[in-house]
């Protein structure tokens, strides 16, 4: 899964736009007070990071060598599962949305 696909999956699942930031794909403006994110690492070239942004501070929780693993991790953080829905359903254990 790439960042574009991840964004589509999150929208399909009804995850609110202000709950996440995906570099180059979904960058809310102005930035919400807090959210989960996926972006290129600022400290390790060629790496991706997932983390939490809170009150102006970016806090990485994991570094990834591949975009795909970073996308899966953010999906898991936001929904409780790293599996995109098949057939338009909601992944097992994921919230059904608003």
């Amino acid at each position: 899964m790439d960042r574009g696909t991840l964004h589509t999956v999150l929208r399909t699942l009804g995850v609110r736009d202000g709950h996440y930031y995906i570099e180059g794909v979904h960058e809310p403006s102005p930035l919400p007070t807090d959210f989960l994110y996926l972006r290129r690492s600022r400290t390790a070239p060629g790496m991706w990071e997932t983390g939490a942004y809170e009150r102006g501070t970016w806090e990485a929780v994991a570094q990834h060598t591949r975009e795909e693993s970073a996308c899966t991790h953010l999906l898991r953080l936001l929904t409780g599962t790293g599996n995109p829905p098949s057939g338009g359903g909601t992944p097992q254990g994921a919230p059904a949305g608003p």
Side-chain angles (χ1 to χ4, degrees):
M1 165 174 23
D2 64 14
R3 289 172 289 147
T5 302
L6 173 60
H7 185 232
T8 300
V9 168
L10 293 172
R11 292 187 67 137
T12 299
L13 293 174
V15 177
R16 295 183 184 197
D17 285 346
H19 290 181
Y20 62 95
Y21 174 103
I22 303 170
E23 181 178 282
V25 176
H26 177 73
E27 301 178 357
S29 180
L31 287 176
T33 305
D34 53 10
F35 54 86
L36 297 174
Y37 72 86
L38 183 159
R39 69 179 188 173
R40 288 178 178 85
S41 174
R42 302 304 191 252
T43 58
M47 299 284 286
W48 294 88
E49 66 184 31
T50 49
Y53 175 93
E54 187 174 19
R55 296 184 189 102
T57 302
W58 300 83
E59 184 69 39
V61 296
Q63 297 256 339
H64 308 270
T65 57
R66 298 179 38 215
E67 178 181 356
E68 295 82 6
S69 65
C71 289
T72 300
H73 187 230
L74 185 62
L75 178 63
R76 187 175 300 117
L77 290 172
L78 288 165
T79 67
T81 180
N83 300 318
S86 58
T90 299
Q92 184 178 16

